[in-house]
Amino acid sequence: MRLSSQLGKAAVGVVALSLLAGCAGESDAGGAAERTPERPTSWIDLPVKADARNVVHTDADDRPHAVRITVKSLVRGTEEDMRGDRVDEGLKGTVPHYLTFEVTNTSPRTIPDAFMVDSDLLLIGTDWEHGQKVHVSGGRPGGVDLPCANLPPETLAPGASYETCVAYALPEGVGVHYAGGYLDETGAVAVWPVDGGLETVSAGLAEPGDVIPVRHDADADGILELPATLVSVRRGSMADLKDPDLPFTAEERRGVPYYVSVTYTNTGTSDLYNDQSGRIRLLTQHGRQIPEKSHSFVNSEVPGCPSDWMFATVPTGESVTQCSIHVVTGQAEKPFAVGFDQAERVGLVVWRADVL
């Protein structure tokens, strides 16, 4: 899943999760009193910044609606919540995270399909991936109701509110950076930090200049661990890119290009083809992963981002510095880190970005 370049609707895959165990409040065959078990002690309340933000929701007909989102809580469940005969195979080994929030319609007109409002919200994990949104129903083994089984109303009148909960599946062992994804009324991205958010995450990132092995598919030599170093992240200008025939969208041409330079060393037994930059992601403060705009076919040189390396291979034991172009769109959106999307491994190798 990813945010679109416009950070409007999130491209979210939704998986139905229906567990077969009984729910809380269920009576037994003998007419015993309803069960009201406490929630499992294994569930953990995560320290999310609970506050209200005024954001913009765009409906299916592209009409904007002013909405106030108030985050209430974030609870991490356990793998046990995900067990059942109807759990999608792709969710096995993941852990649900239950985000509860209130939606208030602050616009002068009714919002149709009010359930679509939560489609703008994402949960970003510490592996820099977006949690997979799941719909839950039924109960947890042991008779405890699962959160997030309630449904929003079909429409939301002006001034009306409802509280709802969305469940996101993250791999076991992965934490959470923040919730976000909505554009607020200023055009920036509304973010609710979790456990300090990016400030806490930044303290644990590799620094520019640190050498880290990255997994890369080198074809003849198979998967290699290439020593890699982030050299620099430079802010460029669209004026640099007027001559090269790069495939920019209209929105990207109003954005800001950044030039990311990374040095790799060939540890294989054969010459290494220079295609590592295709795995570079420029990570923004608000959870976007921006891939490169390939300029391997560009004949003219881009100031600050040379492409000569594209036309040669790297002998065994030698190094090459590659530069990739990443265009950031959206107001107040800035680079935060640089990630390398590793071959045959989930998650990114990440350096903190110092923009020059």
Side-chain angles (χ1 to χ4, degrees), residues 6-7 54-56 182-190 286 329-333:
Q6 299 184 30
L7 279 174
N54 293 319
V55 302
V56 178
Y182 292 96
L183 288 174
D184 68 20
E185 54 193 357
T186 70
V189 179
H286 300 126
T329 58
Q331 298 181 31
E333 188 73 289

Side-chain angles (χ1 to χ4, degrees), residues 215 225 341-348:
R215 291 172 56 86
E225 290 197 347
D341 182 18
Q342 301 196 90
E344 298 183 3
R345 182 169 293 175
V346 177
L348 304 175

Side-chain angles (χ1 to χ4, degrees), residues 125-143:
T126 53
D127 61 353
W128 300 95
E129 298 295 336
H130 299 156
Q132 185 165 5
K133 185 177 177 182
V134 296
H135 284 162
V136 298
S137 63
R140 184 182 187 278

Side-chain angles (χ1 to χ4, degrees), residues 3-341:
L3 281 172
S4 70
S5 61
Q6 299 184 30
L7 279 174
K9 291 295 180 185
V12 180
V14 180
V15 180
L17 170 63
S18 180
L19 303 183
L20 301 183
C23 299
E26 183 178 65
S27 298
D28 61 24
E34 292 184 344
R35 293 178 294 153
T36 55
E38 297 180 358
R39 82 174 202 175
T41 57
S42 56
W43 286 357
I44 299 174
D45 290 301
L46 300 180
V48 62
K49 184 176 182 180
D51 62 4
R53 298 289 300 273
N54 293 319
V55 302
V56 178
H57 163 66
T58 303
D59 66 24
D61 294 321
D62 292 328
R63 292 174 299 188
H65 301 269
V67 173
R68 184 169 60 250
I69 303 295
T70 306
V71 167
K72 300 294 187 69
S73 66
L74 177 62
V75 177
R76 181 167 62 219
T78 67
E79 279 192 77
E80 188 72 15
D81 301 348
M82 307 293 280
R83 294 176 183 171
D85 293 341
R86 297 182 187 177
V87 176
D88 185 90
E89 185 65 29
L91 295 177
K92 300 294 177 65
T94 62
V95 175
H97 292 67
Y98 308 115
L99 183 67
T100 299
F101 55 96
E102 181 182 72
V103 176
T104 301
N105 181 5
T106 57
S107 68
R109 61 174 178 266
T110 296
I111 299 177
D113 301 324
F115 68 92
M116 289 294 293
V117 175
D118 66 43
S119 67
D120 289 319
L121 195 59
L122 300 174
L123 202 65
I124 292 88
T126 53
D127 61 353
W128 300 95
E129 298 295 336
H130 299 156
Q132 185 165 5
K133 185 177 177 182
V134 296
H135 284 162
V136 298
S137 63
R140 184 182 187 278
V144 178
D145 274 345
L146 288 170
C148 300
N150 56 314
L151 297 175
E154 291 187 7
T155 61
L156 192 63
S161 301
Y162 69 87
E163 185 172 301
T164 189
C165 175
V166 176
Y168 300 87
L170 296 174
E172 174 68 45
V174 170
V176 181
H177 283 164
Y178 44 76
Y182 292 96
L183 288 174
D184 68 20
E185 54 193 357
T186 70
V189 179
V191 171
W192 289 266
V194 180
D195 196 17
L198 292 184
E199 183 177 345
T200 299
V201 172
S202 180
L205 293 182
E207 296 292 327
D210 289 350
V211 179
I212 306 175
V214 297
R215 291 172 56 86
H216 177 69
D217 190 345
D219 297 327
D221 282 336
I223 304 297
L224 294 179
E225 290 197 347
L226 307 177
T229 306
L230 174 63
V231 177
S232 65
V233 179
R234 295 181 177 273
R235 181 186 172 109
S237 169
M238 292 307 296
D240 300 341
L241 308 173
K242 287 183 177 179
D243 293 332
D245 186 22
L246 291 171
F248 292 129
T249 65
E251 185 187 16
E252 286 173 333
R253 291 202 173 276
R254 295 190 296 269
V256 178
Y258 289 87
Y259 310 141
V260 177
S261 295
V262 179
T263 297
Y264 307 90
T265 301
N266 181 9
T267 57
T269 59
S270 306
D271 287 354
L272 181 67
Y273 180 66
N274 292 314
D275 59 352
Q276 292 77 42
S277 68
R279 290 189 171 272
I280 290 294
R281 305 290 182 261
L282 185 63
L283 309 175
T284 71
Q285 292 175 328
H286 300 126
R288 294 169 62 192
Q289 293 189 21
I290 302 178
E292 73 159 343
K293 303 296 292 190
S294 175
H295 62 306
S296 59
F297 56 87
V298 175
N299 292 321
S300 57
E301 184 173 335
V302 177
C305 196
S307 58
D308 294 347
W309 51 267
M310 295 299 298
F311 307 105
T313 56
V314 185
T316 299
E318 295 191 13
S319 301
V320 62
T321 298
Q322 301 180 10
C323 180
S324 53
I325 300 171
H326 307 257
V327 180
V328 175
T329 58
Q331 298 181 31
E333 188 73 289
K334 296 179 181 179
F336 172 75
V338 171
F340 187 94
D341 182 18

